[in-house]
Amino acid sequence: SRFRCAFIFSSGSSNPAAMRRVLTYSVGLVAGQDVCFASGMAPEKPFPSLTQCYRHNEEACCKSGHDHLVNEALTSVLAPACLKEYPALEDLYCSLCSKDSTYSRSEDTPLKGPHMKLQESTVYIVLCNSFLDSLWGASLDSFTNVFDNCGLQLPENKSDPNSERRVFVPSAVDSSGEPSIPNVDDFLERISAIFPPLVRHNGAAVQVQIVRQGADSVADVEGCLSGCSLFSLSLVGMIVLARV
């Protein structure tokens, strides 16, 4: 038997939104069972249903608390009018809610799943080039204009997630004549720094690094996250989406 609740806690820091986390409690997991990186439990149908990451409502690795943190993270990057403009970005933010974002409880460290691994204090999320193509809409080594109509609210200093945010129009040139976000790797570095804090290990928050397939840091991860692997829908779910 397992508890089905998740709790959001704040560390009491001066930036509580950045430090909040979700704690879930479970018992009865057995060796060899798939365990979710986010919840620490086996994937299951969420109740209450997820509202931001609703595509995972058939089976998920998130609780409502995780879903709330994902929503907060997305709304800090996108204006309210733009939240449904970029499905691939939504899918990326909801990737830890995927039923496949798991590891086997019997494995030694680093803990590895189909498209992820947790090593020391960093969780790596590996994205397939096919998914990045749908997200970026341009050569991955060049700038994109996909997000230009809305802009992205990102920290000024990509190495400091707590630095003041400004609106980046990715293809707009800066004072040096270079695009604000020159390629997909720069974009992934910026998003990684502010990714919702859903994963903890040994009682501490872990950093997130979102990387392309084939990166040296994830050479031991066999798979990668593709658009079609992010979620599965029932017939009812597809009908609901068709009406949105």
Side-chain angles (χ1 to χ4, degrees), residues 10 58 112 126 143 171 225:
S10 173
E58 287 297 303
K112 289 185 288 185
V126 187
F143 64 88
S171 70
L225 198 63

Side-chain angles (χ1 to χ4, degrees), residues 51-73:
T51 55
Q52 177 64 60
C53 301
Y54 57 89
R55 294 173 178 172
H56 300 286
N57 273 331
E58 287 297 303
E59 191 176 14
C61 270
C62 285
K63 307 298 181 184
S64 290
H66 301 102
D67 189 60
H68 178 69
L69 292 183
V70 172
N71 175 263
E72 283 192 331

Side-chain angles (χ1 to χ4, degrees), residues 2-243:
R2 293 190 293 266
F3 292 99
R4 291 177 175 268
C5 293
F7 304 89
I8 301 178
F9 286 89
S10 173
S11 68
S13 81
S14 59
N15 185 16
M19 297 301 293
R20 275 184 289 179
R21 57 190 176 90
V22 176
L23 296 182
T24 56
Y25 297 88
S26 63
V27 295
L29 290 172
V30 298
Q33 184 173 4
D34 287 340
V35 181
C36 296
F37 280 96
S39 71
M41 302 169 66
E44 62 182 356
K45 184 176 180 64
F47 179 80
S49 296
L50 309 180
T51 55
Q52 177 64 60
C53 301
Y54 57 89
R55 294 173 178 172
H56 300 286
N57 273 331
E58 287 297 303
E59 191 176 14
C61 270
C62 285
K63 307 298 181 184
S64 290
H66 301 102
D67 189 60
H68 178 69
L69 292 183
V70 172
N71 175 263
E72 283 192 331
L74 262 177
T75 54
S76 74
V77 172
L78 294 173
C82 295
L83 285 176
K84 297 299 181 184
E85 289 291 308
Y86 310 112
L89 185 61
E90 278 190 89
D91 289 342
L92 174 57
Y93 267 72
C94 288
S95 59
L96 283 167
C97 291
S98 165
K99 63 182 177 63
D100 295 320
S101 293
T102 60
Y103 62 91
S104 174
R105 193 170 175 81
S106 61
E107 288 184 359
D108 297 325
T109 56
L111 302 175
K112 289 185 288 185
H115 52 261
M116 297 176 62
K117 77 170 178 179
L118 175 61
Q119 186 165 18
E120 297 178 350
S121 61
T122 302
V123 61
Y124 296 86
I125 303 174
V126 187
L127 303 183
C128 297
N129 287 335
S130 59
F131 176 76
L132 286 171
D133 287 340
S134 67
L135 173 73
W136 201 239
S139 167
L140 302 183
D141 296 316
S142 181
F143 64 88
T144 183
N145 60 9
V146 165
F147 304 103
D148 284 4
N149 60 320
C150 286
L152 300 168
Q153 301 168 65
L154 300 171
E156 177 75 33
N157 183 348
K158 64 183 178 182
S159 63
D160 180 8
N162 296 318
S163 62
E164 185 176 358
R165 293 198 182 205
R166 70 173 179 88
V167 176
F168 283 77
V169 180
S171 70
V173 296
D174 58 23
S175 57
S176 66
E178 295 295 323
S180 298
I181 301 179
N183 52 54
V184 77
D185 294 311
D186 183 270
F187 173 77
L188 295 180
E189 185 178 354
R190 292 180 183 277
I191 293 296
S192 295
I194 57 173
F195 207 70
L198 305 190
V199 181
R200 295 181 65 80
H201 183 59
N202 291 335
V206 300
Q207 295 178 322
V208 173
Q209 283 197 20
I210 308 168
V211 297
R212 293 200 222 183
Q213 65 181 110
D216 291 342
S217 58
V218 291
D220 55 343
V221 179
E222 295 182 0
C224 57
L225 198 63
S226 64
C228 61
S229 68
L230 281 168
F231 58 89
S232 60
L233 294 174
S234 66
L235 178 60
V236 172
M238 288 187 283
I239 292 171
V240 170
L241 285 179
R243 291 179 176 176

